[in-house]
Amino acid sequence: MNLWLGTLPVFLVAATLAILLVKRWRKSALKIFTALNIVMMAGALALLAGALSAAPAAATGSVAAAAATPAGAGGAALIAAAIAVAGSSIGAAFAVAYTGSAALAAMSERPEIFGRAMVVVGLAEGIAIYGLIISIILIGKA
């Protein structure tokens, strides 16, 4: 069975417990969720530190290629690619939100500027594509 499919019941139970917790204790639920978030962040940072300090796995036939690559360089490039995609996607989301709402407001007054408004929204979406290109370059170097 797929690992992600196996975690679906755990997610549903956790979501149900969270809803019940918020309904029962409104004031203390925020403190509990904040503490849980801090614990999860600490665990994620520990996992990240372990991944960055681990030596790369070498294939059986390419021992010389593995020796030429510095330890952790491939993992760091993959993490940098993930950061590039995440940062550019978040930036594009903000840009599309602001330009999209402004374009809709302008089109409600003058419907004939639809083409120009969509060009501006498309340029804002290009930010995510730039991050994707950078990540492809970084993955190629990993």
Side-chain angles (χ1 to χ4, degrees), residues 22-105:
V22 168
K23 284 184 178 180
R24 178 113 173 139
W25 298 295
R26 288 194 185 270
K27 299 272 184 187
S28 61
L30 179 64
K31 292 178 185 175
I32 292 172
F33 286 140
T34 303
L36 184 64
N37 195 7
I38 289 171
V39 168
M40 297 273 287
M41 184 61 78
L45 288 176
L47 187 64
L48 178 65
L52 287 177
S53 65
T60 21
S62 62
V63 175
T69 305
L78 294 176
I79 291 173
I83 291 171
V85 169
S88 66
S89 297
I90 290 171
F94 281 121
V96 168
Y98 288 124
T99 58
S101 64
L104 284 175

Side-chain angles (χ1 to χ4, degrees), residues 2 8-9 71 81 83 90 92 111 130 136:
N2 191 354
L8 188 61
I83 291 171
I90 290 171
Y130 298 146
I136 290 171

